[in-house]
Amino acid sequence: MPIILLIVFLFLFSNFRAQELTFDVKQHLSTVTRYEASKCGRNSNHNIPPPPDGCVPIHLNLVARHGTRAPTKKRIEELNNLENELKKLLGDDVGKIDSSHHKVPSWLKQWKSPWSEKVNGGELIPEGEEELYDLGIRTKKLFPDLLSDNYHPDVYTIKATQIDRASASAVAFGMGLFNGSGSLGSDRHRAFSVISENHASDMMLRFFESCRRYKKYKKKQKPKVEKLKEPVLHDITKSLTERYDLNFTQQHISSLWFLCKQEASLLNKTDQACGLFNPSEVALLEWTDDIEVFMLKGYGNSLNYRMGVNLLKDVFESMKNAIKARQVPGRLYEKARLRFSHAETVIPFTCLLGLFLEGEAEAEEFKQIQTEHYPLELPPRPPATRNWKVSNVSPFAGNNMLVLYSCPVANSFDEYFVRVLHNEEPIAMPGCDGSYFCPFNMFKEKIVDPLLKHDFKKLCTVNEEEPTQVLESSKLSLFDWPSKLSLLDWFFWLRNDDEQPQKDEL
């Protein structure tokens, strides 16, 4: 009997080690996740039904986030402060009396912020340009017939916010989409138009800045978010203090986690700040980031996504116009409307479509988001699995494509259908009874119409009653999970995590 138990233990331990070794922190960085890492972290569903025979795409709507960017000015200051704080923590004699800090990683003893010399920040970096350029090329390959027309601003409408990284992303995407179709240079590039609304009054792509009520709500809500995150930070601070024999504060841990995300995403470096945390701690820190996004940008309050009503209306109107224009033979009409913005745009729009709701209850949750004053429960804490992982919802270059199809009507009353691709993969729509291919009229009646009854100006009027955020005791009890997992708990968490579908402006 003892031999059998030993064999079972060794089997479980070997599997645990294998799972641990394959853990990639770059897939767990919430909004700082690179597009490629996000795609690698998701399990593609090979059982997704193809479009019905004879159906052809006639119009494409794209809502995309900008590509990977440098830290913003505010975050650069935080990293500079971290450098000073680490010097105080380690003491001036750290280099002389090394034995007093034998547990401290060597890199930490002389760490300097790679961004300390930067005055400004937030710009699109070369890797971010490549993300959008490659996305443009793949989009052309995905819809070769739809996107075969020569460029004309009335056929391809390209919009971006007035933030540099968004407009630069639009240019990079356009260069990929129209690659080889022009006459400029040896690569045959071509010029194209990118339209931007005024920064101060953009209610389409920067509704989060134009909605005064939301800004007031967000400011009021942030302390509650920090309170929710505090137990995780407390436990991890205690663990790292014991592990490295340093008097870390929760602010140190928060800044080191941010440094980990920047190093892994921008520098492809995971053995420094990220190496301070074990995989279970990374999972918890990722969850706190995801909870913050859930509450301030996602399903945590209906105002977060309903203020995107003008964007949803624009998407729907472009579909209707394409249907109408296509009925006139030979008429030039808009084939694609392409938009480039921010996580604060993409995440609410994703919620308007009802995507990434939780499991079996998603149909019921979708009904809740279309009714008044029903914030959804917080996504479950690790080791429980969850659909709401922001590394999947809105990584750098994250996107939603809404494709309008024209189909034969011989065996159907519906001639037009809508398909949603999230990060280039078809995704089921809870509002269309979990279908991957939704009749246009059902899309209108079940998803669009219930939301278009909301008016942006009324939603965003400050003197209206403030939106409520109900945190029931059942939600707060999520913090009853043990901070330390047993070997078997950790093994099963890693297995389940792999099986699931995968503070400033982002």
Side-chain angles (χ1 to χ4, degrees), residues 59-78:
H59 183 73
L60 170 67
N61 272 283
L62 171 69
V63 179
R65 186 186 176 195
H66 58 75
T68 301
R69 58 152 172 81
T72 60
K73 184 177 180 180
K74 178 181 176 182
R75 289 302 204 172
I76 290 171
E77 292 174 357
E78 180 180 347

Side-chain angles (χ1 to χ4, degrees), residues 9-70:
F9 174 80
L10 290 174
F11 172 78
L12 291 173
F13 182 75
S14 63
N15 276 276
F16 160 73
R17 288 295 299 160
Q19 294 279 6
E20 186 180 43
L21 290 172
T22 59
F23 180 87
D24 187 355
V25 68
K26 289 185 284 188
Q27 296 172 2
H28 300 272
L29 306 179
S30 198
T31 57
V32 191
T33 305
R34 293 282 302 279
Y35 191 67
E36 181 180 358
S38 173
K39 296 279 284 181
C40 290
R42 298 180 65 181
N43 295 323
S44 297
N45 188 342
H46 298 294
N47 298 318
I48 297 171
D53 291 341
C55 292
V56 295
I58 64 168
H59 183 73
L60 170 67
N61 272 283
L62 171 69
V63 179
R65 186 186 176 195
H66 58 75
T68 301
R69 58 152 172 81

Side-chain angles (χ1 to χ4, degrees), residues 225-237:
V225 173
E226 294 305 315
K227 188 175 181 180
L228 281 174
K229 295 164 62 174
E230 196 275 338
V232 169
L233 289 173
H234 175 271
D235 289 347
I236 294 178
T237 301

